[in-house]
Amino acid sequence: MSRPPTFAPPPCARVHGLSTRRGRFAVLDARPAGEPQGTVLLLPGFTGSKEDFVALLEPITEAGYRAVAVDGRGQYETEGPDTEEAYAQGELAADVLAQAEALDTRVHLLGHSLGGQIARAAVLVDRAPFLTLTLLSSGPGAISETQRQRVRVLSDALATLSMEQVWSAMRALDPPEETTVDGADLRRRWLLTNPAQLIATGRQLTVEPDRVDELAAVVSLPKHVVSGEEDDTWPLSQLDSMAQRLGARRTVVTGAQHSPNTDRPRETAAALTDFWDGRYGGH
């Protein structure tokens, strides 16, 4: 489970509902002091929320960009249906296209982990709303076997236990130093997340095909593959290979693991904004 440093938005950001043709989505909307030079749409990963990007918001706005981090349907403060079919990847991709449309400008699209695969699916439906695509700790296909096993255990638990019961079981397994980190906020996020969303998106992560060649064919879209220097969800060799196949810029954030956005936010934001400024090549 992702652990943002805080759930409190910085002064540059506010929480509100983004109204779209596919419903209302809770967002953290951070704006620079002056006219933004671009808008960034940020999609969180599995078990995550818009707060996973809270540490990135100030450095992104300091670089002149508006950043909109979203809770997808069934995630935290965005309600969602109780049926797994509502969280098919195509449905989630259509939501992203509606979010971009509601922002009324072409956006830089970034997805973390699961969010990267949803972002990819949205681009493959319609590239037009997007200026660039960044895949943050998000690989070419299914997650590693170790992670697949963990997701299967979680899905089995969600099918038979309440969210409160699953939460208690997960916390009992956490290392002691992690049991009090944003505990109340993490619990609230977990309890508000729709279990059907977790089961459906967890399944997606275990069976996602390699669609890199399809994405590479979208030649007019600059791409960026970012990760930490360690990742147990997709091996770095897979991420390196994916970047090469995409002709993408590749950034490895020193000192970070699966969530550079929370592990090393300033360094991650610097690499992201440098890319959005138009420097698409290099490392």
Side-chain angles (χ1 to χ4, degrees), residues 264-275:
R264 293 290 186 272
R266 284 275 170 183
E267 296 86 343
T268 302
L272 295 174
T273 55
D274 186 66
F275 173 70

Side-chain angles (χ1 to χ4, degrees), residues 3 10 25 33 45 90 111 126 146 171 174 204 207 210 244 261 282-283:
R3 287 176 169 79
F25 296 87
D126 185 3
T146 300
R171 296 305 278 179
D174 277 342
Q204 289 172 33
V207 300
D210 185 321
Q244 291 180 345
N261 42 308
H283 300 279

Side-chain angles (χ1 to χ4, degrees), residues 26-39:
V27 299
L28 266 174
D29 192 343
R31 297 173 183 253
E35 187 69 21
Q37 64 182 38
T39 298

Side-chain angles (χ1 to χ4, degrees), residues 220-240:
S220 60
L221 183 70
K223 306 168 188 74
H224 192 187
V225 175
V226 183
S227 73
E229 59 182 352
E230 297 180 24
D231 198 310
D232 62 358
T233 305
W234 286 277
L236 256 63
S237 59
Q238 285 190 11
L239 300 175
D240 292 341

Side-chain angles (χ1 to χ4, degrees), residues 85-253:
E85 294 78 7
Y87 304 99
Q89 190 182 78
E91 294 295 320
L92 301 178
D95 287 347
V96 173
L97 292 168
Q99 293 156 11
E101 178 185 275
L103 293 173
D104 199 29
T105 185
R106 296 180 71 204
V107 301
H108 298 282
L109 181 62
L110 179 149
H112 174 240
S113 197
L114 169 72
Q117 296 195 335
I118 296 169
R120 177 173 72 180
V123 166
L124 291 176
V125 172
D126 185 3
R127 174 259 184 272
F130 308 113
L131 293 167
T132 66
L133 172 65
T134 298
L135 303 175
L136 176 61
S137 301
S138 185
I143 54 179
S144 68
E145 178 56 32
T146 300
Q147 292 298 325
R148 289 199 294 271
Q149 292 174 4
R150 291 179 180 176
V151 169
R152 291 182 191 117
V153 169
L154 176 60
S155 295
D156 289 345
L158 290 169
T160 57
L161 303 175
S162 70
M163 290 293 280
E164 181 67 65
Q165 288 172 318
V166 175
W167 172 257
S168 296
M170 290 192 304
R171 296 305 278 179
L173 295 173
D174 277 342
E177 68 274 12
E178 294 187 351
T179 58
T180 59
V181 177
D182 283 326
D185 290 326
L186 288 170
R187 178 178 176 274
R188 179 175 183 271
R189 177 174 70 175
W190 174 260
L191 295 178
L192 287 177
T193 299
N194 193 302
Q197 187 265 355
L198 292 171
I199 293 171
T201 56
R203 184 183 305 113
Q204 289 172 33
L205 286 169
T206 65
V207 300
E208 178 74 3
D210 185 321
R211 305 186 70 188
V212 175
D213 290 345
E214 291 178 69
L215 184 59
V218 187
V219 294
S220 60
L221 183 70
K223 306 168 188 74
H224 192 187
V225 175
V226 183
S227 73
E229 59 182 352
E230 297 180 24
D231 198 310
D232 62 358
T233 305
W234 286 277
L236 256 63
S237 59
Q238 285 190 11
L239 300 175
D240 292 341
S241 173
M242 181 175 71
Q244 291 180 345
R245 293 167 62 193
L246 290 173
R249 176 169 170 170
R250 177 74 172 107
T251 297
V252 177
V253 181

